[in-house]
Amino acid sequence: MPLTDNTTHSRGAGAPLVQANHIKDFIMTSPAMPVKESQRSGVDFDAIRRSLRRHLFVINRPDFNVNSAALRTDFAMHLEYLAAATFTREKADFDSDKYVSSTEMLLIKPLEQLQVTVTVYASKAGAAPEAYKTRIVHSANPLGNEDHPENREFQSTNVYQVSGVLTVSALELFWSEHDGLEKYARAHLPEAHEQSPFCHWQYSRLRG
């Protein structure tokens, strides 16, 4: 799958949206700022609109729910904002007793931050993954001044999460994005261990 942010992604006619009881871990640290606030105040009203709680995932559509490009586009976060990324392949996870592969990205704008993690689970090493989990954390309008963007606190934070059974097409999409995004990150971000051996990220331009 080509890595382009110019494609319009559609959930498809008639595809039901995930209802509130299918989404976990809702966090809202404070209400959105009033729209009457002046743009000169440093508040980004587009960021506020994106921070409002919305239906993000689609029921019984793992091909959409693992599609990180479509999910990023919902928040107007394109690859030029990629600040850090980690790619895992068949790593033993003792908590789930599964082998996990994942794509994890942190994208940063001046007044917004988006973390996208798509994980697939296999019952044993070498087996095709059978299940997935996608977790999105979106934050908008930072509080105070912080030298390191990744350490900022925000006026609003929403966490979205969905999990389910993979289909063949969804798994193919996951691996296509996983490999393509890792190639992009390798070309555009320094390896994180060059800055700190304790960094969580595999590739990173973060200074903190």
Side-chain angles (χ1 to χ4, degrees):
M1 176 182 174
L3 292 176
T4 174
D5 287 313
N6 297 321
T7 303
T8 299
H9 301 276
S10 172
R11 291 181 173 88
L17 294 171
V18 172
Q19 300 302 313
N21 60 351
H22 291 273
I23 301 176
K24 303 175 182 178
D25 298 332
F26 168 56
I27 300 173
M28 178 65 79
T29 57
S30 70
M33 297 288 288
V35 177
K36 65 181 180 181
E37 288 280 345
S38 167
Q39 192 74 7
R40 291 190 298 271
S41 68
V43 174
D44 184 333
F45 298 118
D46 288 334
I48 288 175
R49 283 188 285 272
R50 286 190 290 272
S51 76
L52 297 177
R53 192 73 181 168
R54 89 280 297 275
H55 295 292
L56 187 61
F57 301 112
V58 183
I59 296 174
N60 296 326
R61 284 290 304 274
D63 54 325
F64 180 85
N65 295 339
V66 303
N67 188 334
S68 68
L71 295 168
R72 286 188 293 101
T73 299
D74 262 6
F75 295 95
M77 283 284 193
H78 307 302
L79 286 179
E80 61 263 33
Y81 302 111
L82 184 65
T86 294
F87 303 91
T88 303
R89 185 182 289 264
E90 288 195 340
K91 179 181 178 181
D93 178 36
F94 298 104
D95 290 335
S96 64
D97 198 27
K98 302 286 186 182
Y99 284 81
V100 303
S101 303
S102 65
T103 299
E104 185 175 2
M105 296 179 288
L106 179 65
L107 303 102
I108 297 178
K109 286 182 177 181
L111 299 178
E112 284 181 89
Q113 180 171 296
L114 185 72
Q115 188 165 341
V116 180
T117 306
V118 182
T119 306
V120 297
Y121 299 85
S123 58
K124 59 183 180 180
E130 305 158 343
Y132 75 92
K133 180 170 73 175
T134 300
R135 181 179 172 87
I136 306 288
V137 182
H138 177 254
S139 302
N141 293 312
L143 298 168
N145 296 316
E146 171 60 54
D147 291 337
H148 304 304
E150 68 276 16
N151 296 332
R152 295 178 298 180
E153 295 184 358
F154 292 86
Q155 291 177 349
S156 65
T157 296
N158 281 305
V159 180
Y160 304 83
Q161 184 168 297
V162 68
S163 59
V165 177
L166 278 169
T167 61
V168 172
S169 60
L171 182 58
E172 290 176 350
L173 175 60
F174 169 81
W175 284 123
S176 176
E177 285 203 318
H178 183 279
D179 295 342
L181 287 166
E182 184 170 15
K183 182 178 179 180
Y184 180 93
R186 189 183 304 118
H188 293 84
L189 299 175
E191 292 191 27
H193 69 75
E194 294 178 356
Q195 303 175 52
S196 170
F198 306 107
C199 183
H200 165 76
W201 300 101
Q202 185 179 1
Y203 304 95
S204 172
R205 60 175 170 82
L206 304 175
R207 296 178 292 112

